[in-house]
């Protein structure tokens, strides 16, 4: 079954916006330092940014369901970062950067759930894996191209010049988004949905609530990828080669997302999600036991296959568990819960590494992934869509 044009357009929008975002992101710490920000201020800026993105994902999803439309939230979510580039390019204080990052991540939070819901609504269930895989692949390809483009431009235009030029792919993303039309069959007539309240979770299907529980446990194993790169350096890989290995990770992730999404459609989304939990645990156990840089790089590339398979398949599987009238709300709630748990996950991992060594930290991560896999399989019959 061919994927509809809307899937490719959404993928192109994400590719362009990720190019714009990743042109900027690697330069922000040094730019903040040049404005007089210390490590604490830099941490505050990034902490506020990521917390904002996580918390507003459920808000964006709920608003979209209440409106019965996806595109207005996409326009707002992609438009904010595109229109507000001058705040960053003209910044003269760390607080200007904080304002930009807050509004930028606010946009990301508002658009994520409506975009994923629109993807799910635009394809047949038999093609969900390929649709999400293609989207994740293009998204990651943009994240790979952005830093490379910044690297090429930096000697010629400087940091602020890169910030100004990053507006070009951002505006191209907005123009592409204008071509997207929501078909009548895609829109959901749910304008009468009540506001989201704490008890709302109980009204969602049991299979969804179970997967949210499993994903919450798994999120505690999802430490920052920075720890994987730190482990490579710990195993003796030079800094330049660590950067090259991470570029290889992103490239492999981008190239394999679509074919592994197709595999998920053929063998079953649930099966590939289970494989993802198991592969993550395997990689983390490998990092705990690795003794040479060669094995560290091999594990990082294996981790890229996990990312390519699991990121798309888990989102596609989630979409099969949710009723139409609350699709964006439930997707947003999922991303919010998982996003909020990523902070304690990295804090716990860092504490274990610093106090007891990387072996225990990676071992605990693997154990949590195996626990998530066990709960996922034990409730298999009830959670099957």
């Amino acid at each position: 079954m061919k994927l509809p044009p809307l899937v490719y357009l959404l993928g192109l929008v994400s590719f362009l916006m990720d190019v714009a975002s990743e042109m900027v992101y690697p330069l922000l710490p040094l730019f903040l330092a040049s404005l007089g920000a210390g490590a604490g201020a830099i941490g505050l800026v990034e902490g506020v940014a990521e917390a904002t993105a996580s918390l507003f994902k459920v808000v964006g999803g709920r608003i979209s369901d209440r409106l019965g439309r996806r595109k207005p939230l996409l326009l707002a979510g992609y438009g904010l970062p595109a229109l507000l580039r001058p705040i960053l390019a003209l910044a003269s204080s760390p607080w200007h950067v904080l304002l930009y990052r807050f509004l930028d991540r606010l946009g990301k939070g508002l658009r994520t759930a409506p975009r994923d819901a629109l993807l799910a609504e635009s394809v047949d269930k038999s093609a969900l894996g390929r649709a999400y895989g293609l989207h994740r692949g293009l998204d990651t390809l943009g994240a790979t191209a952005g830093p490379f483009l910044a690297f090429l431009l930096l000697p010629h235009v400087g940091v602020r010049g890169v910030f100004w030029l990053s507006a070009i792919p951002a505006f191209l993303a907005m123009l592409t988004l204008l071509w997207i039309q929501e078909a009548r069959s895609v829109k959901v007539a749910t304008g009468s949905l009540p506001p989201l309240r704490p008890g709302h979770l109980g009204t969602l299907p049991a299979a969804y609530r179970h997967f949210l529980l499993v994903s919450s446990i798994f999120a505690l194993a999802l430490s920052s990828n920075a720890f994987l790169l730190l482990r490579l350096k710990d195993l003796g890989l030079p800094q330049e080669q660590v950067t090259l290995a991470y570029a290889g990770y992103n490239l492999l992730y981008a190239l394999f997302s679509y074919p592994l999404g197709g595999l998920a459609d053929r063998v079953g989304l649930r099966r590939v999600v289970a494989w993802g939990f198991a592969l993550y645990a395997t990689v983390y156990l490998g990092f705990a036991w690795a003794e040479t840089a060669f094995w560290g790089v091999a594990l990082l590339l294996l981790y890229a296959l996990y990312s390519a398979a699991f990121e798309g398949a888990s989102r596609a599987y989630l979409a099969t568990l949710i009723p139409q009238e609350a699709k964006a709300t439930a997707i947003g709630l999922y991303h919010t819960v998982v996003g909020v748990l990523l902070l304690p996950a990295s804090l716990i991992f860092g504490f274990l590494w610093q106090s007891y060594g990387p072996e225990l930290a990676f071992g605990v991560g693997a154990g949590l992934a195996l626990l998530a896999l066990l709960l996922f399989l034990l409730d298999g019959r009830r959670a099957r869509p």
Side-chain angles (χ1 to χ4, degrees), residues 11-232:
L12 180 58
V13 169
S14 288
F15 168 79
L16 290 167
M17 187 55 73
D18 255 54
V19 169
S21 297
E22 295 301 324
M23 284 176 68
V24 167
Y25 182 71
L27 303 177
L28 282 180
L30 291 178
F31 182 64
L32 279 165
S34 73
L35 295 177
I42 294 172
L44 173 66
V45 168
E46 288 308 303
V48 168
E50 294 311 315
T52 300
S54 296
L55 293 173
F56 274 88
K57 285 173 182 175
V58 67
V59 175
R62 192 57 173 178
I63 293 173
S64 177
D65 280 338
R66 283 173 64 84
L67 290 175
R69 298 193 62 197
R70 312 303 184 202
K71 191 172 177 179
L73 273 296
L74 295 182
L75 289 169
Y78 285 108
L80 272 175
L83 295 172
L84 297 174
R85 278 298 194 274
I87 294 178
L88 184 61
L90 299 172
S92 59
S93 162
W95 301 112
H96 299 155
V97 180
L98 174 62
L99 175 62
Y100 169 78
R101 286 290 285 159
F102 169 76
L103 294 172
D104 176 66
R105 295 296 90 180
L106 172 63
K108 180 176 177 61
L110 290 176
R111 70 184 184 242
T112 296
R115 182 201 63 212
D116 282 2
L118 184 57
L119 266 176
E121 293 159 350
S122 65
V123 298
D124 186 85
K125 283 188 177 182
S126 63
L128 278 172
R130 283 187 295 140
Y132 279 97
L134 176 70
H135 185 268
R136 295 307 303 161
L138 287 171
D139 187 89
T140 306
L141 195 60
T144 306
F148 182 68
L149 194 56
F151 172 77
L152 293 178
L153 291 170
L154 197 56
H156 305 288
V157 299
V159 172
R160 292 182 187 271
V162 172
F163 292 165
W164 279 114
L165 290 173
S166 71
I168 295 175
F171 275 104
L172 288 175
M174 282 294 297
L175 290 175
T176 305
L177 188 58
L178 294 176
W179 284 88
I180 291 176
Q181 298 295 326
E182 288 185 79
R184 287 183 179 273
S185 59
V186 172
K187 294 180 182 179
V188 286
T190 53
S192 60
L193 275 176
L196 187 65
R197 293 187 174 90
H200 181 76
L201 182 60
T203 67
L204 294 170
Y208 168 83
R209 285 183 275 123
H210 172 72
F211 188 58
L212 185 63
L213 171 64
V214 170
S215 299
S216 299
I217 294 171
F218 185 56
L220 292 174
L222 290 172
S223 61
S224 169
N225 286 350
F227 288 114
L228 302 183
L229 305 183
L230 187 62
R231 182 60 168 153
L232 291 182

Side-chain angles (χ1 to χ4, degrees), residues 111-356:
R111 70 184 184 242
T112 296
R115 182 201 63 212
D116 282 2
L118 184 57
L119 266 176
E121 293 159 350
S122 65
V123 298
D124 186 85
K125 283 188 177 182
S126 63
L128 278 172
R130 283 187 295 140
Y132 279 97
L134 176 70
H135 185 268
R136 295 307 303 161
L138 287 171
D139 187 89
T140 306
L141 195 60
T144 306
F148 182 68
L149 194 56
F151 172 77
L152 293 178
L153 291 170
L154 197 56
H156 305 288
V157 299
V159 172
R160 292 182 187 271
V162 172
F163 292 165
W164 279 114
L165 290 173
S166 71
I168 295 175
F171 275 104
L172 288 175
M174 282 294 297
L175 290 175
T176 305
L177 188 58
L178 294 176
W179 284 88
I180 291 176
Q181 298 295 326
E182 288 185 79
R184 287 183 179 273
S185 59
V186 172
K187 294 180 182 179
V188 286
T190 53
S192 60
L193 275 176
L196 187 65
R197 293 187 174 90
H200 181 76
L201 182 60
T203 67
L204 294 170
Y208 168 83
R209 285 183 275 123
H210 172 72
F211 188 58
L212 185 63
L213 171 64
V214 170
S215 299
S216 299
I217 294 171
F218 185 56
L220 292 174
L222 290 172
S223 61
S224 169
N225 286 350
F227 288 114
L228 302 183
L229 305 183
L230 187 62
R231 182 60 168 153
L232 291 182
K233 197 168 184 300
D234 187 53
L235 292 170
L237 199 67
Q239 182 62 53
E240 299 79 9
Q241 294 182 28
V242 170
T243 305
L244 186 63
Y246 189 59
Y249 160 82
N250 277 322
L251 185 60
L252 208 60
Y253 181 175
L255 292 176
F256 277 89
S257 290
Y258 181 73
L260 289 176
L263 176 66
D265 286 332
R266 290 194 298 275
V267 304
L269 296 170
R270 182 177 172 79
R271 182 173 295 177
V272 173
V273 171
W275 290 349
F277 289 139
L279 187 55
Y280 185 93
T282 301
V283 168
Y284 262 50
L285 282 175
F287 270 111
W289 295 333
E291 296 181 350
T292 66
F294 171 82
W295 284 111
V297 172
L299 287 164
L300 183 68
L301 298 181
L302 187 61
Y303 185 72
L305 295 181
Y306 147 77
S307 299
F310 185 81
E311 288 294 326
S314 61
R315 292 177 185 225
Y317 177 72
L318 175 71
T320 67
L321 306 177
I322 308 166
Q324 177 65 36
E325 66 273 8
K327 192 173 290 290
T329 301
I331 291 173
L333 180 61
Y334 168 86
H335 284 302
T336 292
V337 170
V338 170
V340 167
L341 289 173
L342 291 179
L343 176 59
S346 287
L347 290 175
I348 293 169
F349 193 96
F351 169 76
L352 291 174
W353 182 312
Q354 188 171 338
S355 302
Y356 303 102

